[in-house]
Amino acid sequence: MALFDRLQSALRDHVNGEIRFDRGTRAAYSTDASNYREVPIGVVVPESVDDAARTVEICADHDVPILSRGGGTSLAGQCCNTAVIIDWSAHCTRTRDGGDGTVITEPGTVLDDLTAGGLMFGPRPATHNHCTIGGMIGNDACGATAQAYGKTSDNVLDLEVLTYGGTRFWTSDPPEPLGSAVRALADDYEDDIRARFPRIPRRVSGYGLDALLPENGRDLARALVGSESTLVTVLQARLKMVPQPRAGAVAILGFRDVFEAADLAPAMAAYHPIAVEGMDDRLIRYERARRLNLAAIDRLPRGGGWLVVQFGADTLEEAEAQARHMAADLGVRPVISRDVASVAAIREAAVGATAGDAWPGWEDSAVPPDRVGAYLRDLRRLQEDHGYGASSLYGHFGHGCVHTRIPFRRAGYRAFVEEAADLVVSYGGSFSGEHGDGLARGELWPRMFGDRVMAAFTRFKEIFDPRNRMSPGRLIDPDRLDDHLKTRPPDVETVFTFRNGFAAETTNCAGVGECRRDTGGVMCPSFRVTRDERHSTRGRARLLFEMLQGDVITDGWRSEEVKDALDLCLSCKGCRSDCPVHVDMATYKAEFLHHYYRGRIRPLSHYALGWLPLWARVPLLLRAPRPPGLARERDLPRPARVRFSDTFRAEQRGPQVLLLPDTFTDNFTPRVAVAATRVLTRAGFSVRIPRAPICCGLTWISTGQLGVARLVLRRTARVLRDDLDSGVPFVGLEPSCTAVLRSDAPELLPGDADIRRLADRTRTLAELLDDHDVDPPHVPGRVVTQPHCHQHAIMGADADLRVLRRSGADVTQLDAGCCGLAGNFGFEPGHHDLSMAVGEQALFPALRASSGARVLADGFSCRTQIEHGTGIHAVHLAEFLASQPSGPPRSP
Ligand SMILES: Cc1cc2nc3c(=O)[nH]c(=O)nc-3n(C[C@H](O)[C@H](O)[C@H](O)COP(=O)(O)OP(=O)(O)OC[C@H]3O[C@@H](n4cnc5c(N)ncnc54)[C@H](O)[C@@H]3O)c2cc1C
């Protein structure tokens, strides 16, 4: 048996967790959030810490390299390697009280999950809602709040670790001879360490040997923090917790440019803020272009550079008083805001906002805080010399840490990074001020530390990992910084039009990992339930990238691995709006399915559900006891006895509007269209419907039958041509159909002028009422609304909120994600459990908790799923407004 087969079978025999050496999993873990790509040997997802320890032991028995991984958000290539990856994030998430304001936690715990009982872990990277404690320890992570609480290494009290050789111990009590070897190393090199280690708050480059000095308490735990899986595997950590400020305020200062902002930053540090963040106008331009944080950006004072100084206290008044005191003392006039989260989000979104156009590589250097302004000017000059002058500059200026992402070209990458490294050394700084070094900067260590300290680093590595099996090729004897660079794969022909081609779409995923967060927004329902990287937006983007690359996934559009990963994608489109680079997995899935099934027999569900708009014209078929191709657990909704379009009579009175009776409304819930007609008529509109049945093609799109979808859309445009010429507004009632007309249709038929006009003309009911300032009937009472996920992604639901508020309703718009049914997804065999589990994540509990409120859901799927999951009968906005007896709305 070959080595990896023997390894797999030993792992299967002794480890309870998942052992995944398949091509799909290896593809999904081939990169992190960096510029690098190295395909792993396989992935183990341990069920427990002991399971992980057995994994290390078995890999050591087979002499195979290992690498630990948490959220996989590393920016310097430290989380991809040709090794067996131990993914801690799925199960190793237990935390217990460690006494005296400490906790003991496992490496897979997500930082935000540690915040409880009024205590929190101090350092807070921007990835706080999905990065793990293991990863923070691996990288010595910091984030904005490190200004007040220090780096991760300042907050780790003790570590339980395991060496590749099998020694397991708590760092507070190291076994012999390891303990003496470490002490001897520190003694031998203490003068060199004192001389060469920069004394700045953000020294993250290099092993933390300074922690071993007697004056620093000979602290082995601290020395191992930041070692990026090259020395030990961390099994548990005892962490210092700090009181969570109950209230916060930010002082926002505008400057002529970012350099002036940086000059003033060190002065702010004296006022004990939680964070002193700086940013330039280019970052703001990036965010505006991607429509991120627009409301918060609008509240920034005028300027070309800003400082955001955050204060925390027990009350809002105290926090604001701190901000005002600082301002008075320094003679500055900030805007003071209590909305800390929205303002902080501008800075936190920076990596996502610049991703795709610019890359990490020199993204987190740090210098003494009082020199940050000068360093920034020199760094900008260097960027300009290399043709990178358009890069944005931002960072934790109070700590001297500068972030920038650069639109690197491969040819000049090495030259720039080497010059930047010399520049930062000339300032007495550190290449990395928080992200770690990985492949991007490991090679540069000798420039910062010199030969003697490098010898000490090598000896440190030999003490813990003499066989060099812990993430080899990183930090000690590293691969070159321009090895393993990820490059865009060759492009392919697609049916959908992608702005820069499909290869660019799959490369755009920057690995930020927002799709791995547990709450808020819609993305990514399947990850939230499975906690499996392959079933996250990022994992799927990686698989598609590898499919085009062709090394691991070798059978292109016919890949079973890609199909399996896409199978659990609900096509909710959540990523299209929630992902910072707007990965649009629903569209990629449709494209993939189109090619995968080309010339092949499809699953029955594609015929049953994909062709539903046609079957719906023959209701007898749908009344059959069980139409074929559907999930056993679900009954297809029954069609109504009479279609809306069969009974509708147009009236000719005021301004006209064309109501679009989609398949679902017309055939299954005609009452919604009847209600919409009543609402529109009361508002003074004269309602018409198309001269023949129309369809947006959604069900063919979601099942990847794109040729038919195009035909259907072309026919719809033909039917509507006279109406398009007449200039009447169109109203769609089913949000997913409206979203297709607004977005998918022009992407499928980009050159078709009628389709473009259709996209521009189609509005939701709420948008039309809102556009025309229609005053809806007065409706007191509580209303809970579940926005459809496609509406969330394409149209947004602000107009619904405005209309409902004008109606006097006490509205709660849920932020509960996708309902889980997602059109055909929940009706397809094999999807029922996931579909219901998605609903149970947030939506069903929220609805159960809101008894007494009326539930509004415009999506046919959402209403169906809510009924299945909770027994609650939800209604469409049109039904809700039409049900009010209080007289007609004001005319447009
Ligand atoms: C958009 C974005 C914003 C970011 N902002 C910040 C920021 O503000 N501040 C900041 O400090 N960083 C930031 N980062 C970098 C990164 O998110 C942090 O360093 C984070 O703490 C990494 O956590 P993770 O769980 O993703 O770790 P991973 O990337 O999975 O791992 C990080 C390192 O830890 C090692 N590791 C993981 N588990 C173990 C273990 N059990 N034993 C030994 N080694 C282990 C890994 O091998 C790797 O070397 C950002 C990254 C992105 C993409």
Side-chain angles (χ1 to χ4, degrees):
M1 229 193 315
L3 173 64
F4 294 152
D5 294 335
R6 285 200 306 278
L7 172 66
Q8 270 191 76
S9 104
L11 287 168
R12 278 189 221 295
D13 287 347
H14 300 287
V15 173
N16 293 325
E18 291 168 68
I19 318 297
R20 300 193 194 142
F21 282 54
D22 61 283
R23 291 188 295 171
T25 301
R26 292 172 57 224
Y29 285 78
S30 62
T31 178
D32 41 25
S34 72
N35 303 332
Y36 299 98
R37 166 181 175 265
E38 256 198 280
V39 180
I41 294 167
V43 175
V44 176
V45 186
E47 269 188 3
S48 64
V49 165
D50 288 341
D51 226 15
R54 276 192 295 276
T55 304
V56 175
E57 187 189 323
I58 292 165
C59 288
D61 286 347
H62 291 77
D63 200 27
V64 168
I66 58 169
L67 168 71
S68 280
R69 174 160 162 146
T73 63
S74 287
L75 288 153
Q78 59 269 55
C79 227
C80 57
N81 206 331
T82 310
V84 170
I85 291 186
I86 302 171
D87 181 345
W88 293 87
S89 65
H91 306 298
C92 298
T93 57
R94 293 162 202 91
T95 300
R96 61 187 199 278
D97 189 357
D100 296 334
T102 70
V103 295
I104 296 173
T105 194
E106 295 176 359
T109 306
V110 167
L111 174 60
D112 275 1
D113 293 346
L114 266 191
T115 309
L119 294 178
M120 63 177 199
F121 188 61
R124 194 169 187 261
T127 45
H128 51 87
N129 57 18
H130 56 286
C131 76
T132 65
I133 292 298
M136 290 183 70
I137 292 170
N139 285 348
D140 198 2
C142 306
T145 57
Q147 178 79 37
Y149 307 110
K151 302 181 286 185
T152 297
S153 50
D154 299 317
N155 294 275
V156 168
L157 301 171
D158 205 355
L159 293 175
E160 191 193 16
V161 298
L162 176 66
T163 66
Y164 190 76
T167 310
R168 181 172 174 170
F169 61 98
W170 282 90
T171 50
S172 52
D173 186 17
E176 290 304 336
L178 191 140
S180 326
V182 170
R183 275 192 301 279
L185 160 71
D187 292 345
D188 289 351
Y189 289 97
E190 62 181 319
D191 291 340
D192 305 291
I193 295 168
R194 281 189 198 106
R196 292 305 296 248
F197 267 63
R199 288 200 189 86
I200 57 172
R202 290 298 190 100
R203 194 277 313 149
V204 168
S205 289
Y207 289 139
L209 295 188
D210 52 341
L212 298 176
L213 297 177
E215 62 268 34
N216 294 331
R218 293 191 179 276
D219 188 338
L220 180 55
R222 277 185 82 158
L224 290 173
V225 173
S227 56
E228 303 180 3
S229 213
T230 62
L231 299 177
V232 291
T233 301
V234 175
L235 305 180
Q236 295 191 81
R238 182 152 172 263
L239 307 175
K240 180 167 98 186
M241 300 292 276
V242 295
Q244 197 173 7
R246 293 209 189 103
V250 279
I252 315 166
L253 292 127
F255 296 85
R256 198 174 52 165
D257 56 36
V258 70
F259 309 111
E260 287 188 5
D263 290 337
L264 199 63
M268 315 264 164
Y271 298 88
H272 308 296
I274 289 180
V276 182
E277 300 288 288
M279 57 198 175
D280 68 0
D281 49 353
R282 291 168 198 192
L283 175 64
I284 300 303
R285 279 205 291 276
Y286 270 116
E287 295 202 19
R288 275 195 198 284
R290 295 201 176 168
R291 309 196 57 72
L292 298 169
N293 302 311
L294 295 181
I297 286 174
D298 283 344
R299 292 203 298 270
L300 290 177
R302 284 162 64 94
W306 294 268
L307 280 180
V308 176
V309 190
Q310 182 184 337
F311 293 93
D314 281 343
T315 65
L316 280 169
E317 291 68 29
E318 283 173 55
E320 279 181 351
Q322 290 181 38
R324 273 196 296 275
H325 168 65
M326 178 202 74
D329 238 24
L330 293 176
V332 290
R333 300 182 57 187
V335 170
I336 295 180
S337 166
R338 295 177 167 189
D339 191 0
V340 178
S342 312
V343 180
I346 305 178
R347 251 292 292 116
E348 286 188 356
V351 174
T354 54
D357 295 324
W359 308 97
W362 195 255
E363 81 281 2
D364 65 321
S365 51
V367 295
D370 58 351
R371 303 189 70 194
V372 67
Y375 171 65
L376 218 53
R377 289 178 179 87
D378 278 345
L379 182 62
R380 168 63 85 222
R381 266 191 289 278
L382 185 66
Q383 288 178 330
E384 283 168 354
D385 290 350
H386 284 259
Y388 301 141
S391 315
S392 58
L393 294 167
Y394 49 93
H396 314 296
F397 289 178
H399 254 184
C401 180
V402 173
H403 288 317
T404 179
R405 284 171 72 97
I406 299 177
F408 283 120
R409 290 175 301 274
R410 192 181 178 125
Y413 180 58
R414 166 172 289 279
F416 175 84
V417 171
E418 286 181 350
E419 283 180 52
D422 291 339
L423 177 67
V424 91
V425 169
S426 75
Y427 272 86
S430 172
F431 308 140
S432 169
E434 68 176 16
H435 297 161
D437 286 327
L439 256 173
R441 289 169 293 260
E443 181 198 327
L444 303 170
W445 277 13
R447 290 172 193 249
M448 183 171 155
F449 293 103
D451 293 344
R452 288 277 303 164
V453 173
M454 281 309 297
F457 286 161
T458 307
R459 197 161 129 190
F460 202 44
K461 169 88 174 169
E462 279 162 4
I463 292 172
F464 289 94
D465 179 29
R467 287 157 70 186
N468 191 22
R469 284 289 176 268
M470 300 288 299
S471 200
R474 304 293 182 272
L475 306 185
I476 296 299
D477 197 11
D479 295 344
R480 290 164 62 82
L481 60 83
D482 38 11
D483 286 345
H484 311 293
L485 282 173
K486 193 165 58 181
T487 48
R488 185 186 291 183
D491 221 333
V492 280
E493 265 189 35
T494 52
V495 184
F496 276 102
T497 308
F498 297 103
R499 198 159 52 100
N500 298 314
F502 192 56
E505 294 282 327
T506 67
T507 316
N508 262 355
C509 171
V512 168
E514 281 282 318
C515 45
R516 290 177 56 99
R517 67 182 181 191
D518 272 335
T519 53
V522 171
M523 170 178 79
C524 169
S526 51
F527 177 78
R528 285 183 187 178
V529 173
T530 62
R531 306 206 59 77
D532 183 336
E533 179 73 16
R534 273 176 319 158
H535 300 305
S536 68
T537 308
R538 183 176 72 177
R540 295 185 178 111
R542 295 282 147 78
L543 268 130
L544 287 163
F545 171 88
E546 290 295 339
M547 178 188 89
L548 299 188
Q549 197 76 34
D551 305 333
V552 203
I553 307 281
T554 48
D555 31 11
W557 292 117
R558 293 281 160 115
S559 162
E560 290 301 321
E561 293 82 9
V562 179
K563 182 176 143 272
D564 286 351
L566 288 172
D567 181 49
L568 294 191
C569 167
L570 285 87
S571 297
C572 69
K573 276 192 182 288
C575 40
R576 165 115 177 196
S577 56
D578 297 0
C579 164
V581 292
H582 305 303
V583 164
D584 183 2
M585 199 49 66
T587 305
Y588 307 167
K589 178 177 179 179
E591 184 75 45
F592 176 83
L593 291 178
H594 169 85
H595 297 278
Y596 178 86
Y597 284 114
R598 202 172 196 166
R600 288 171 163 185
I601 303 283
R602 291 168 165 269
L604 266 181
S605 63
H606 284 202
Y607 300 106
L609 297 164
W611 290 74
L612 186 72
L614 275 196
W615 310 143
R617 306 306 301 170
V618 194
L620 263 185
L621 283 178
L622 298 181
R623 293 219 173 85
R626 169 151 290 282
L630 299 183
R632 242 181 329 104
E633 302 86 346
R634 292 214 196 245
D635 291 326
L636 197 64
R638 301 270 122 180
R641 301 239 153 247
V642 186
R643 267 189 215 106
F644 167 73
S645 53
D646 290 343
T647 55
F648 175 79
R649 297 286 165 268
E651 286 181 33
Q652 296 295 331
R653 288 187 300 132
Q656 295 207 336
V657 60
L658 189 84
L659 195 64
L660 302 176
D662 57 89
T663 295
F664 306 99
T665 309
D666 198 25
N667 295 283
F668 295 94
T669 53
R671 60 174 192 274
V672 170
V674 171
T677 309
R678 197 173 306 147
V679 170
L680 290 165
T681 309
R682 278 190 197 169
F685 287 102
S686 169
V687 180
R688 287 201 282 120
I689 63 170
R691 63 181 167 81
I694 52 149
C695 177
C696 67
L698 167 68
T699 53
W700 284 284
I701 294 174
S702 57
T703 52
Q705 305 183 63
L706 300 183
V708 188
R710 274 178 156 172
L711 290 175
V712 169
L713 276 166
R714 282 207 186 96
R715 183 188 162 280
T716 293
R718 263 200 316 279
V719 170
L720 295 175
R721 186 158 303 140
D722 289 347
D723 298 306
L724 286 167
D725 291 342
S726 77
V728 297
F730 295 2
V731 173
L733 296 174
E734 171 54 40
S736 51
C737 299
T738 308
V740 169
L741 297 179
R742 292 261 280 260
S743 149
D744 304 57
E747 286 160 18
L748 269 174
L749 293 163
D752 190 316
D754 285 341
I755 290 286
R756 185 66 263 164
R757 287 198 294 165
L758 181 53
D760 295 342
R761 194 72 60 76
T762 307
R763 317 288 286 152
T764 66
L765 176 66
E767 285 174 339
L768 185 90
L769 298 177
D770 194 40
D771 289 352
H772 288 82
D773 267 340
V774 170
D775 247 349
H778 184 59
V779 200
R782 280 174 57 226
V783 175
V784 172
T785 68
Q786 160 68 1
H788 188 287
C789 44
H790 290 190
Q791 175 160 1
H792 168 85
I794 305 296
M795 290 87 74
D798 291 352
D800 298 69
L801 208 52
R802 282 193 293 273
V803 167
L804 282 166
R805 285 202 177 127
R806 282 211 298 274
S807 78
D810 171 10
V811 197
T812 306
Q813 197 169 75
L814 294 178
D815 179 21
C818 174
C819 70
L821 189 59
N824 47 302
F825 180 86
F827 280 105
E828 288 171 348
H831 291 169
H832 178 262
D833 290 353
L834 180 82
S835 165
M836 296 311 280
V838 170
E840 282 297 349
Q841 289 252 308
L843 176 61
F844 298 165
L847 292 179
R848 288 183 197 118
S850 54
S851 65
R854 289 195 73 182
V855 177
L856 260 61
D858 282 3
F860 177 68
S861 305
C862 311
R863 292 195 299 272
T864 308
Q865 177 82 333
I866 288 170
E867 188 108 38
H868 284 183
T870 65
I872 294 171
H873 176 73
V875 297
H876 191 285
L877 172 72
E879 294 176 276
F880 177 73
L881 294 178
S883 69
Q884 302 313 311
S886 53
R890 197 180 60 209
S891 301

